Amino acid sequence: MFRAEIVWITVFLTVGAIGGLVYNWPSSTEDPAAQSIDETIDPADVLAEQGDEIDDTWPFTDETRENPQSPTVQESESQTDLAADPIDDVWSEISPPMKRTQKIDSAVVELGDRLLLGGNYEGAMKHYQKLLQTADVPTDNGILIRLALASELAHEHDDAIKHYRSAIRVVEKGSVAQANCLLGIARVWENRGQFNDAASLLSELYLIYGGTKYPQLLRAQLVSQLSDCLQKRVLSSQIVIDALQNEPMEYYWPAVTVDHVLELVDWEAPVDGLSTPPSQLQVLQSPNKDASVVLVGANVRGLSVLGLLTEIERGSGMVFNLTEKAKTDLVGRMTNVQTTAMPVSFLLDSVLESMALTWSQSEGEVSVMHREELADRDLASYDLARTQRMLRQVQLEVEPGPRRTAAIMNEGNNSRLAGGWEEARTKYQMAREQTPMHELSAKLYFNEASLQLADGEKLDALNACYMALDQTLTASLEGDVYAMISELELELGQTDKAILAGSRGLRRATEPAVLSRCAMMLARAYLLTEDPDSANQVLFDQSPHIVGDATQRVASVFSSFARFQRNPSRGGLQDEGQRLVMALATLKPNDPAGFADALIVSQAYASVGIRNKAVESLKESLAKAPKGFWSERIRLELARAQYGAGHFDAADETISNYGQVSIDLLPTVLLLHAKIKFDAGKLEQCESICRRIARLEVDQTVQAEALNTLGMVLNEKGQHYAATLCFAGVLPEPVETTSSHANQGVVVP
């Protein structure tokens, strides 16, 4: 990644695009390197050599460009070399005699615009290039910007930068067209992943073009691009990436609105021009010493950043504390600001961005520090807070539509990252009230489902997932949605539907994390439906996509357990039991992520005879299990494991804590309860439970087993004839000596 300041020196300062704003290196009259820069990049000389005259209407005149101290020798030499090199752009390809003054036929330009609006970017590029190659057509800034936009949309980034730079050299300084070109360059940098460079340029543009004297469409596009760039930088942080692994969310960035860019290309300035107020910096309001509510109005040219902070201190009463590294970086740095009213928080965000500085406030004191001085988590928090401020500005500047709706939704996502779930719900509801359509609506449904799932509202989350699936056309989002559907269906006990959703998600997923998630969900569902062959096949096929050390260890247990169920007794290298024990030994306590993992791990322990570990895993699974289907079955498994280990009292307590059981599982639970009571020597209670089972409409196998247990109870009590009837499949009448206060069992349907 090249340094942004080098580009600004060689391009923007060459044509006076941003004046002393971008990178005012200090220089002294005795520094030959600094003098060579100034002599090389004089805009009037550059254009005069090619037969053009330049109209200096840029509001920041040369008088405002100060000459502070010189930079380091290495930086001066590198910048001098770059400034002296010729710029490879359209001006290098067109000789002066080819530049005409007559107007271009609007019908010809309109044809290229229709191609551009229709999505035929290659065709638009060729059309605009023909216009530039025609001898009787001037190098028109409108055509150059259109050609740059077409190249940008066609992902020809190098050509786009080249044409935007060419357009900057012919447009009026400080004009809307110039801002349009700079926004295009920022978009190209953002598309290349150069978020710091793009954010730095857009921040400085915001200080100049964010005022009300410029068209609202330009301001809206500027804040939208800046918010998008800041958001993408936040999402590139490893801390945020790890957080999104546990709580997936979808962000949305609307595509470039071509007709808006074309409208800015052809925008005409007022007859009286863009008025420039007198140079001043004034604190408009300061109800308290909070940077977010202190407003300043400014029109300053070439003011040092340290001087700017001093002026704010004097007018607002706030105190600025700078670290030594921040002070060093601010020496000789200057800025230009034009705004009628701007919060100090926005001013600090924009001014400090190009110098890689950050700020924080505690009561009336503002601390300024370098980004390198912050820990990763603190830096991510700062970037997140700044993004939130700009997203709220988008909602103020942008008219109702997809971009505003996306800003609301993205703000809700960021609130969740910061732990504000209630605020996220409010933002999602506000975004839904904007009636989004198509992909934006699908992503909003997915985010709502993710939040509902975290809140335990599983049926609502499942409905939102199917709504998202109905509206999305993006394969990656379909993979995410199917992974969530598979998880929800599994929690609701619909293992067949979980397998179907997991299989579809596996076919559509594009990212390794989603592939891993779908593969693991599919393996869980297969193992819980007693299909170990399919589970092993899925894990084998998707093993390269299983991400995360903990997930890989759990996947190893799953695959070994699946193979062990098919080949339990082979020795040597094919001893799957030995492999399963080794895989279980590598597990760490927190590796099983949910109830299903803990349940399968407990089954694996039980299969190799490690009963105490099996019981521990079942208890962990029961604690994590959702109420209903799985909670009942895991409790039953736990009671069986405790009963098999001879822990009758613990097994009795586990079943007694059921409270209520679904009607289809009730006979099985009662039968196990009866066996526990019998082996514990509680014959009266066992008889009562057995008679209750016999009176239910249950399967004959269950009824026969209940009568057999009852027969053993009666035989122990000396009622041999009644016991014989039970063994014959007949329920005898109860004997009057049975205690009237016998426990009838606490389990109810």
Side-chain angles (χ1 to χ4, degrees):
M1 181 183 296
F2 59 85
R3 293 181 61 189
E5 52 264 29
I6 295 177
V7 175
W8 297 334
I9 293 171
T10 58
V11 181
F12 303 143
L13 290 184
T14 299
V15 298
I18 308 183
L21 165 69
V22 176
Y23 216 88
N24 286 304
W25 279 112
S27 63
S28 65
T29 57
E30 299 178 357
D31 189 352
Q35 293 176 3
S36 64
I37 296 175
D38 294 337
E39 294 172 359
T40 304
I41 64 175
D42 184 72
D45 294 340
V46 172
L47 296 184
E49 291 175 359
Q50 304 185 18
D52 273 8
E53 295 182 358
I54 184 166
D55 181 16
D56 282 332
T57 56
W58 177 243
F60 303 154
T61 61
D62 293 337
E63 296 176 356
T64 64
R65 303 180 184 177
E66 300 185 4
N67 294 318
Q69 305 140 16
S70 63
T72 62
V73 175
Q74 182 179 358
E75 290 171 330
S76 298
E77 292 175 352
S78 64
Q79 293 159 19
T80 304
D81 295 339
L82 287 172
D85 291 339
I87 299 176
D88 182 19
D89 56 11
V90 173
W91 286 94
S92 304
E93 301 171 1
I94 300 179
S95 59
M98 295 176 62
K99 296 192 285 292
R100 308 297 184 185
T101 58
Q102 66 267 29
K103 294 183 179 180
I104 300 176
D105 186 356
S106 60
V108 179
V109 179
E110 185 179 351
L111 174 59
D113 291 350
R114 287 201 299 268
L115 293 172
L116 197 59
L117 291 168
N120 186 358
Y121 308 131
E122 297 289 344
M125 287 172 56
K126 294 178 181 178
H127 183 76
Y128 295 137
Q129 285 170 348
K130 288 180 181 179
L131 289 176
L132 289 180
Q133 293 167 0
T134 305
D136 60 349
V137 173
T139 307
D140 183 83
N141 69 79
I143 301 301
L144 285 171
I145 297 176
R146 284 173 164 84
L147 180 56
L149 178 61
S151 302
E152 174 194 339
L153 296 174
H155 302 290
E156 300 289 343
H157 294 155
D158 291 336
D159 289 341
I161 290 286
K162 166 185 169 181
H163 295 305
Y164 278 128
R165 285 164 46 178
S166 300
I168 288 174
R169 302 184 67 178
V170 296
V171 298
E172 182 181 0
K173 292 186 292 185
S175 64
V176 172
Q178 187 181 70
N180 208 7
C181 295
L182 296 173
L183 289 175
I185 290 176
R187 283 196 302 271
V188 174
W189 286 350
E190 181 183 324
N191 292 333
R192 283 176 165 177
Q194 300 170 221
F195 302 131
N196 288 333
D197 296 338
S200 183
L201 174 57
L202 290 169
S203 296
E204 299 201 44
L205 293 177
Y206 182 69
L207 293 173
I208 301 174
Y209 294 99
T212 56
K213 72 175 186 177
Y214 290 99
Q216 192 275 338
L217 185 60
L218 175 63
R219 300 198 309 271
Q221 186 171 332
L222 176 56
V223 297
S224 297
Q225 279 189 223
L226 182 52
S227 66
D228 290 350
C229 183
L230 294 174
Q231 184 68 75
K232 291 177 182 178
R233 184 170 68 177
V234 167
L235 295 179
S236 65
S237 169
Q238 188 59 46
I239 293 176
V240 177
I241 292 173
D242 295 340
L244 291 176
Q245 293 290 337
N246 300 324
E247 192 173 355
M249 290 178 285
E250 288 288 331
Y251 288 79
Y252 184 82
W253 296 277
V256 178
T257 308
V258 177
D259 53 349
H260 288 176
V261 179
L262 295 178
E263 184 178 345
L264 290 175
V265 172
D266 300 327
W267 186 81
E268 296 182 0
V271 177
D272 57 351
L274 297 173
S275 60
T276 302
S279 179
Q280 62 176 352
L281 188 146
Q282 181 181 5
V283 176
L284 303 178
Q285 72 169 28
S286 181
N288 52 48
K289 299 178 182 180
D290 187 352
S292 61
V293 297
V294 176
L295 290 181
V296 296
N299 178 50
V300 294
R301 308 173 183 87
L303 177 65
S304 68
V305 178
L306 290 174
L308 177 68
L309 299 181
T310 301
E311 291 293 331
I312 297 175
E313 270 189 337
R314 184 180 299 114
S316 65
M318 294 189 298
V319 177
F320 287 90
N321 298 319
L322 283 69
T323 63
E324 290 300 323
K325 186 172 181 56
K327 289 180 182 178
T328 303
D329 291 341
L330 285 178
V331 171
R333 300 305 294 268
M334 305 172 124
T335 186
N336 296 323
V337 183
Q338 291 187 57
T339 179
T340 54
M342 179 182 292
V344 171
S345 57
F346 282 78
L347 186 63
L348 292 175
D349 288 342
S350 301
V351 169
L352 300 178
E353 176 65 42
S354 61
M355 290 160 275
L357 299 179
T358 64
W359 66 276
S360 63
Q361 183 172 13
S362 176
E363 296 181 354
E365 295 187 0
V366 177
S367 300
V368 179
M369 64 211 76
H370 197 277
R371 293 178 69 90
E372 294 177 355
E373 296 179 292
L374 296 180
D376 291 341
R377 186 170 295 277
D378 294 334
L379 185 58
S381 298
Y382 170 77
D383 289 338
L384 187 65
R386 190 190 170 190
T387 303
Q388 292 291 75
R389 287 193 288 270
M390 192 52 61
L391 286 172
R392 286 189 285 270
Q393 191 67 16
V394 171
Q395 298 168 40
L396 295 175
E397 294 277 1
V398 178
E399 296 180 353
R403 187 166 289 280
R404 179 190 282 187
T405 305
I408 297 173
M409 183 187 74
N410 292 346
E411 185 184 355
N413 290 348
N414 293 338
S415 297
R416 288 174 63 182
L417 289 175
W421 283 23
E422 192 61 38
E423 184 179 355
R425 290 189 196 92
T426 303
K427 291 298 180 180
Y428 289 162
Q429 184 178 356
M430 290 173 58
R432 180 60 62 192
E433 292 172 355
Q434 302 291 320
T435 61
M437 303 292 291
H438 310 303
E439 204 66 32
L440 176 56
S441 179
K443 291 192 174 186
L444 181 56
Y445 272 123
F446 178 83
N447 293 332
E448 290 172 329
S450 176
L451 184 59
Q452 290 164 345
L453 178 60
D455 287 340
E457 302 170 358
K458 296 182 174 57
L459 292 178
D460 292 337
L462 187 60
N463 178 68
C465 281
Y466 281 112
M467 292 295 291
L469 196 62
D470 182 62
Q471 298 188 30
T472 183
L473 296 176
T474 305
S476 59
L477 181 56
E478 288 180 350
D480 281 333
V481 173
Y482 274 122
M484 188 176 292
I485 290 176
S486 179
E487 180 180 353
L488 286 167
E489 294 288 10
L490 185 65
E491 288 196 15
L492 295 173
Q494 304 289 339
T495 51
D496 293 340
K497 293 182 178 180
I499 291 173
L500 180 62
S503 300
R504 290 178 176 176
L506 208 57
R507 290 194 297 270
R508 289 166 172 79
T510 57
E511 298 179 0
V514 183
L515 285 169
S516 174
R517 190 177 172 197
C518 290
M520 292 300 293
M521 289 303 304
L522 202 53
R524 294 183 187 103
Y526 279 133
L527 288 173
L528 292 176
T529 54
E530 300 180 356
D531 187 356
D533 294 332
S534 297
N536 183 59
Q537 188 66 46
V538 167
L539 293 173
F540 178 79
D541 294 339
Q542 301 300 325
S543 57
H545 301 129
I546 304 297
V547 296
D549 294 339
T551 306
Q552 289 175 355
R553 289 191 291 267
V554 173
S556 177
V557 172
F558 285 3
S559 58
S560 300
F561 179 47
R563 293 191 300 271
F564 179 69
Q565 293 181 69
R566 286 287 179 260
N567 306 292
S569 59
R570 293 185 182 182
L573 295 177
Q574 295 183 346
D575 188 354
E576 297 297 344
Q578 183 178 358
R579 292 181 181 177
L580 177 56
V581 171
M582 293 176 63
L584 289 169
T586 63
L587 276 182
K588 295 183 178 179
N590 296 326
D591 283 351
F595 78 94
D597 287 356
L599 176 59
I600 296 171
V601 167
S602 72
Q603 294 174 351
Y605 275 124
S607 66
V608 293
I610 309 178
R611 291 182 175 178
N612 59 334
K613 286 288 187 179
V615 171
E616 290 179 8
S617 295
L618 281 172
K619 290 180 179 179
E620 179 183 350
S621 178
L622 182 61
K624 297 179 180 179
K627 295 181 179 179
F629 181 87
W630 287 112
S631 178
E632 294 178 355
R633 281 152 181 79
I634 294 172
R635 188 177 293 276
L636 179 61
E637 288 294 324
L638 177 59
R640 284 174 175 168
Q642 291 169 333
Y643 173 61
H647 303 153
F648 301 132
D649 292 338
D652 187 14
E653 182 181 359
T654 299
I655 291 186
S656 299
N657 289 334
Y658 257 111
Q660 289 186 337
V661 184
S662 56
I663 191 64
D664 58 330
L665 196 64
L666 180 62
T668 305
V669 173
L670 291 175
L671 184 60
L672 177 61
H673 204 187
K675 293 179 179 179
I676 293 172
K677 294 290 188 183
F678 178 78
D679 289 344
K682 301 177 181 180
L683 301 181
E684 296 293 337
Q685 297 176 8
C686 179
E687 179 181 354
S688 176
I689 295 173
C690 289
R691 290 184 179 277
R692 181 181 176 186
I693 297 173
R695 289 192 295 268
L696 295 174
E697 295 182 2
V698 296
D699 182 80
Q700 290 185 355
T701 303
V702 176
Q703 189 174 40
E705 192 169 355
L707 288 174
N708 186 60
T709 303
L710 178 59
M712 291 188 294
V713 170
L714 296 176
N715 192 51
E716 287 289 330
K717 296 173 64 175
Q719 302 177 20
H720 303 296
Y721 177 73
T724 303
L725 292 177
C726 289
F727 295 143
V730 179
L731 179 64
E733 292 294 328
V735 180
E736 295 297 332
T737 58
T738 301
S739 175
S740 59
H741 59 273
N743 188 356
Q744 299 296 317
V746 296
V747 181
V748 297

